[in-house]
Amino acid sequence: MKYVNKGIRKKDAMSLLTGKPVYTDDIAPSNCLIVKVLRSPHAHALIEDINVSIASKVPGIECILTYKDVPQKRFTTAGQSYPEPSPYDRLILDKRLRCVGDPVAIVAGENEKAVNKALNLIKVKYEVLDAVLDFREAIDNDIIVHPEDDFIALNDWINVDKDRNICSKGDFAYGDVEEELNKCAHIIEQTYHTKANSQAMMETFRAFTELDTYGRLNITSATQVPFHVRRILSNALDIPKSKIRVIKPRIGGGFGAKQSVVAEIFPAIVTMKTGKPAKIIYTREESMTNGSPRHEMEIKVRLGADENGIIKAIYMYTLSNAGAYGDHGPTTVGLSGHKSMPLYNGAKAYKFEYDVVYSNTMGAGAYRGYGATQGLFALESAVNELADKLNIDPIKLREMNMVAEGQIMPAYYNEPANSCALDRCLSRAKEMIDWDNKYPCRDMGNGKVRSVGVAMAMQGSGISSVDTAAVEIKLNDDGFYTLMIGAADMGTGCDTILAQMAADCLECDIDNIIVHGVDTDQSPYDTGSYASSTTYITGGAVIKTCEKMRKRIIEEASKALGCSIDNLEFDGKKVFSLVDEKEISLIDIANNTLVGGFNTISESESHYSEVSPPPFMVGIVETEVDKLTGKVDIIDYVAVVDCGTVVNPNLARIQAEGGIAQGIGMALYEDITYTEKGKMRNDSFLQYKIPTRLDVGNIRVEFESSYEQTGPFGAKSIGEIVINTPSPALAHAVYNATKVNIRTLPITSEKIVMGMINK
């Protein structure tokens, strides 16, 4: 392979580095109406009256829309495959407001000054209602978040019961957990709590819209899911999808936030009403208070082992906070169990139960690692507590119990672990950190202790039997190719990775692969960039399409040479005969397609997978804890990842380093809290701390590659798994330094000190 497994520079690197106008706001027309949203100050309220007459008279105001002016058709903002496993529980504008920040009115004007003035002049009379703010009190609460009669659920399996504030519920069982737990010599029974987290991507939510020559609605949006945007806007606006075109420029970070259609609907309805271009740019405050953060979860774990430390049974119950709207609630929660329990595949019994509940807090969405991150914090913390109880080295305990290649994983939808280098990942990470000399801790004097903590993780590669991708490859004159994709590159470098695969399949220079980004009018269908699907699913489509392209090139060459196809070979530059000296260059084949009677050489293929092979990872952290103040400093973080064949080591390493940094933020700093009236306190980077480069210490990443037989070139995913180990590893390191188990994130200095005081 010339390009796969090589650190090729991203195709768009220079444009981004030199500040070329590639992002949404860079390319928006200068005559766009400015769109902003008036938002509810109450966690739960009804609009009794809304008066926009004075605001409408502000010079420069084009239109002001209330619930009386927009379609009353329910939809979901979650960008997922149809039929969406999300309840249709939203309106563009609703008379009932279910959280602080819910949209009350849409204002569009010629300039920002006029729009801001008009926002302040809208008069709204609210009937303030009691709110349910603690998701642990939501089920069967007297306060019902969604009492409406036109609530729709397309999938029965989500088991929605809105009158009980249940967005989704479900369960899974293998074996008899209670019976096995009763036999266990040792049981860990604990509850773990992960808070909501903001994705905090550099580029906030934004989109601009306009009508084209044919009266179609064109949306240019920083989105991970262009084709889902088209469907969602079609539902919300009650217009055919044929009337909508979605274009994705470069994205300044997504991390799952832009899998939800957060902002697009507002300029879209303005353009539909006025016929004029419109754009919306969310402020940082809006992105934090009205985005799509990680689901807050409370997870109960019962973990049983025999006297030798062999894990026999695992029970997990997850309570997940959907917030005001269901969106990704039903699909995120399952991963908290199904992508944590299979790590310990030797157990005789598993049971996983969950409830996703509505509350009057901001609606939650997808965030890197969605659900698995929360579940792994709980289970890996419980495993570390079991090791401590048994006085067994936690790495030894994992070696005794972890999943191995070739096993069937009952808790992972009975999928096989065809590719698994987890044992090698653990061994290498142990060696890199010098575990035997540092575990559990070392007293450094002056009240400071250095300690280590460990965690394992798994994720998936796309959503099995659901995610679909198609690509098209066209041979152009002079023999270069255009690769048309529907996958949304959000800074991950998927354009480059797919081009690497195509270049090796077609045996050409990577510069001869021109990647064309997403335009729903031109691009082949792709479910979008989420659930770590692009390399595995879209890459699979690239492989299949390239195979067809090679056959097609040989077919055209056989016509030109008068040779049998069976006697021809293609080496990327020419087609040649195996029986004589006849040959024809790719350039000549390509140019021949442009003359009379030509046959354009273009091929397309789609791909999906019935399995979702998990990548695996081990993370070990060394910290220094100041026992006087509770301050935690990260000294070293080592990560060893099995993502199958590493397509581009440079990009894979960056993915890992960035995910680990985000995981450190979740573990130590990031915390969303609300006032007693439901207003978020953490609405800026002054109140919501994300880690800087100075906070994450030394991060070292290595790869222990397996070969996934169902993946392109043996590849699996990497995008999500890398965020999953920091929280349990850091909690473990803190315990080893202080003997304080912190089971509610984030791990703050205050919790550490109070834990030591109250020991």
Side-chain angles (χ1 to χ4, degrees):
M1 297 180 293
K2 185 177 179 182
Y3 293 107
V4 170
N5 202 224
K6 303 295 190 300
I8 305 300
R9 189 174 72 183
K10 286 174 61 177
K11 280 185 166 289
D12 59 354
M14 290 306 297
S15 293
L16 301 179
L17 195 63
T18 56
K20 295 291 175 61
V22 296
Y23 296 100
T24 301
D25 197 33
D26 297 333
I27 58 180
S30 59
N31 63 337
C32 278
L33 295 174
I34 305 300
V35 179
K36 293 195 175 189
V37 178
L38 179 69
R39 299 187 180 277
S40 170
H42 305 293
H44 198 192
L46 293 172
I47 298 175
E48 289 188 346
D49 184 62
I50 184 166
N51 189 328
V52 302
S53 58
I54 298 173
S56 299
K57 295 176 182 177
V58 173
I61 292 300
E62 184 70 27
C63 73
I64 300 177
L65 305 175
T66 72
Y67 69 90
K68 303 172 185 178
D69 308 306
V70 300
Q72 296 296 294
K73 186 179 179 184
R74 295 206 176 268
F75 65 100
T76 177
T77 65
Q80 302 181 99
S81 295
Y82 182 87
E84 296 103 319
S86 313
Y88 282 23
D89 54 11
R90 289 181 183 262
L91 296 173
I92 300 173
L93 296 171
D94 202 340
K95 190 174 181 178
R96 180 179 291 271
L97 307 167
R98 295 174 175 84
C99 63
V100 173
D102 242 3
V104 174
I106 304 166
V107 180
E110 295 174 358
N111 57 73
E112 189 172 10
K113 184 177 179 181
V115 173
N116 287 338
K117 185 175 181 180
L119 284 170
N120 291 325
L121 293 174
I122 298 173
K123 305 298 182 184
V124 188
K125 184 180 180 182
Y126 299 99
E127 178 188 351
V128 180
L129 307 173
D130 291 335
V132 54
L133 299 176
D134 188 340
F135 74 115
R136 293 165 290 196
E137 300 173 357
I139 296 179
D140 295 327
N141 198 297
D142 291 338
I143 303 163
I144 300 175
V145 180
H146 283 275
E148 65 271 14
D149 295 328
D150 57 347
F151 185 103
I152 301 170
L154 302 182
N155 286 276
D156 293 337
W157 67 262
I158 70 173
N159 295 317
V160 64
D161 190 347
K162 68 180 184 64
D163 294 329
R164 299 181 62 202
N165 286 332
I166 294 175
C167 172
S168 182
K169 67 186 295 102
D171 59 76
F172 158 82
Y174 173 82
D176 191 325
V177 161
E178 293 301 326
E179 181 182 338
E180 293 300 328
L181 284 171
N182 289 333
K183 299 177 185 176
C184 288
H186 303 281
I187 294 176
I188 298 295
E189 186 170 354
Q190 293 293 348
T191 299
Y192 303 87
H193 185 189
T194 63
K195 306 295 285 293
N197 302 123
S198 173
Q199 293 87 347
M201 59 283 175
M202 187 177 294
E203 181 194 35
T204 60
F205 300 101
R206 56 197 57 203
F208 72 85
T209 56
E210 57 190 340
L211 297 179
D212 65 17
T213 306
Y214 305 100
R216 299 173 70 229
L217 180 64
N218 287 6
I219 299 108
T220 300
S221 170
T223 180
Q224 298 171 224
V225 287
F227 286 93
H228 295 330
V229 171
R230 184 175 66 179
R231 180 183 66 249
I232 291 166
L233 292 190
S234 171
N235 290 339
L237 297 170
D238 202 17
I239 61 175
K241 284 194 282 188
S242 61
K243 296 288 188 181
I244 301 173
R245 175 188 186 188
V246 181
I247 300 167
K248 180 207 75 72
R250 309 313 296 173
I251 303 176
F255 310 117
K258 293 171 184 175
Q259 192 189 337
S260 293
V261 182
V262 171
E264 291 87 343
I265 191 66
F266 302 119
I269 188 68
V270 168
T271 293
M272 293 296 295
K273 291 286 186 179
T274 66
K276 297 181 178 181
K279 75 172 180 180
I280 190 167
I281 306 291
Y282 268 43
T283 64
R284 181 61 59 184
E285 179 182 347
E286 283 183 301
S287 292
M288 287 186 161
T289 58
N290 299 279
S292 55
R294 186 184 300 281
H295 291 79
E296 183 177 12
M297 293 187 184
E298 185 179 80
I299 301 172
K300 297 178 181 178
V301 179
R302 294 169 69 198
L303 179 68
D306 65 15
E307 63 277 1
N308 298 315
I310 303 301
I311 295 172
K312 297 294 187 179
I314 304 174
Y315 171 82
M316 297 180 72
Y317 168 73
T318 300
L319 181 68
S320 176
N321 184 21
Y325 301 98
D327 292 334
H328 293 276
T331 50
T332 297
V333 68
L335 279 67
S336 65
H338 290 298
K339 294 188 179 179
S340 57
M341 295 188 301
L343 282 172
Y344 302 95
N345 199 53
K348 291 186 175 182
Y350 305 90
K351 190 171 185 180
F352 172 47
E353 299 176 299
Y354 64 81
D355 288 297
V356 184
V357 298
Y358 286 114
S359 70
N360 293 115
T361 58
M362 173 177 49
Y367 188 168
R368 192 177 201 167
Y370 67 121
T373 313
Q374 298 95 312
L376 284 161
F377 168 65
L379 184 57
E380 285 296 278
S381 293
V383 169
N384 285 330
E385 293 192 43
L386 176 64
D388 185 68
K389 184 175 183 178
L390 295 172
N391 197 28
I392 295 177
D393 185 311
I395 288 182
K396 178 66 176 177
L397 185 67
R398 286 172 168 83
E399 290 172 341
M400 294 160 52
N401 289 283
M402 66 186 179
V403 64
E405 189 166 281
Q407 295 180 351
I408 301 296
M409 298 176 283
Y412 190 61
Y413 318 107
N414 279 316
E415 288 192 18
N418 289 326
S419 56
C420 178
L422 187 57
D423 54 346
R424 288 187 276 127
C425 291
L426 186 60
S427 176
R428 179 59 182 145
K430 177 183 178 180
E431 180 184 354
M432 289 170 67
I433 206 74
D434 193 17
W435 178 270
D436 289 338
N437 290 317
K438 294 179 178 179
Y439 173 76
C441 65
R442 296 169 294 157
D443 192 328
M444 308 303 291
N446 200 28
K448 295 184 177 181
V449 179
R450 289 196 176 184
S451 59
V452 288
V454 61
M456 303 191 308
M458 61 178 286
Q459 193 76 35
S461 301
I463 303 172
S464 55
S465 300
V466 173
D467 283 347
T468 300
V471 303
E472 180 184 352
I473 296 178
K474 182 176 66 172
L475 178 63
N476 303 294
D477 51 318
D478 283 350
F480 69 96
Y481 303 92
T482 299
L483 175 62
M484 307 282 290
I485 65 172
D489 194 325
M490 49 180 164
T492 53
C494 75
D495 287 3
T496 305
I497 286 169
L498 297 174
Q500 287 177 254
M501 293 181 185
D504 270 353
C505 288
L506 296 170
E507 298 182 81
C508 68
D509 191 284
I510 194 169
D511 291 333
N512 281 358
I513 306 290
I514 310 303
V515 184
H516 189 82
V518 192
D519 179 337
T520 57
D521 273 7
Q522 302 178 31
S523 303
Y525 179 80
D526 194 296
T527 47
S529 294
Y530 59 90
S532 284
S533 62
T534 304
T535 296
Y536 180 72
I537 297 295
T538 311
V542 168
I543 302 297
K544 292 162 75 172
T545 306
C546 288
E547 288 173 353
K548 288 181 69 174
M549 173 59 72
R550 290 183 67 94
K551 289 179 181 178
R552 183 70 184 283
I553 290 170
I554 291 173
E555 288 173 2
E556 295 300 322
S558 75
K559 298 174 186 177
L561 298 174
C563 296
S564 169
I565 291 174
D566 295 336
N567 295 328
L568 295 177
E569 287 284 346
F570 175 52
D571 65 3
K573 294 181 179 179
K574 63 182 182 299
V575 178
F576 59 93
S577 172
L578 297 173
V579 296
D580 53 38
E581 295 182 355
K582 290 183 178 179
E583 64 179 39
I584 183 172
S585 70
L586 179 65
I587 293 175
D588 286 341
I589 295 171
N591 289 336
N592 286 345
T593 65
L594 304 180
V595 299
F598 72 90
N599 289 309
T600 300
I601 300 181
S602 178
E603 294 294 342
S604 180
E605 189 58 82
S606 61
H607 183 68
Y608 88 107
S609 177
E610 294 180 350
V611 295
S612 177
F616 298 95
M617 174 181 177
V618 173
I620 303 181
V621 65
E622 181 181 4
T623 63
E624 183 173 273
V625 180
D626 187 328
K627 297 180 75 172
L628 180 63
T629 64
K631 186 174 185 297
V632 178
D633 289 315
I634 296 174
I635 305 302
D636 196 12
Y637 198 107
V638 301
V640 186
V641 186
D642 165 23
C643 57
T645 299
V646 184
V647 179
N648 188 317
N650 291 352
L651 297 181
R653 183 167 284 104
I654 289 168
Q655 284 287 295
E657 291 171 351
I660 291 165
Q662 282 185 304
I664 290 170
M666 176 181 178
L668 298 182
Y669 304 113
E670 300 175 43
D671 191 11
I672 290 177
T673 62
Y674 293 89
T675 68
E676 60 183 12
K677 293 185 177 181
K679 185 178 187 305
M680 187 187 295
R681 294 187 179 96
N682 320 95
D683 57 5
S684 77
F685 289 138
L686 293 175
Q687 294 84 21
Y688 187 83
K689 176 172 171 56
I690 60 173
T692 70
R693 184 63 186 88
L694 299 176
D695 297 313
V696 299
N698 184 41
I699 297 176
R700 294 185 285 149
V701 177
E702 291 190 7
F703 301 97
E704 287 286 344
S705 296
S706 59
Y707 184 88
E708 174 50 46
Q709 61 192 31
T710 67
F713 293 94
K716 300 185 288 189
S717 73
I718 192 171
E720 291 187 293
I721 188 173
V722 290
I723 200 172
N724 292 337
T725 59
S727 290
L730 280 161
H732 188 212
V734 167
Y735 174 79
N736 286 333
T738 65
K739 297 304 176 184
V740 175
N741 268 313
I742 295 178
R743 303 184 180 99
T744 296
L745 297 180
I747 304 164
T748 62
S749 300
E750 292 83 356
K751 291 176 183 176
I752 294 172
V753 171
M754 292 305 299
M756 288 189 292
I757 291 173
N758 296 325
K759 251 190 330 186

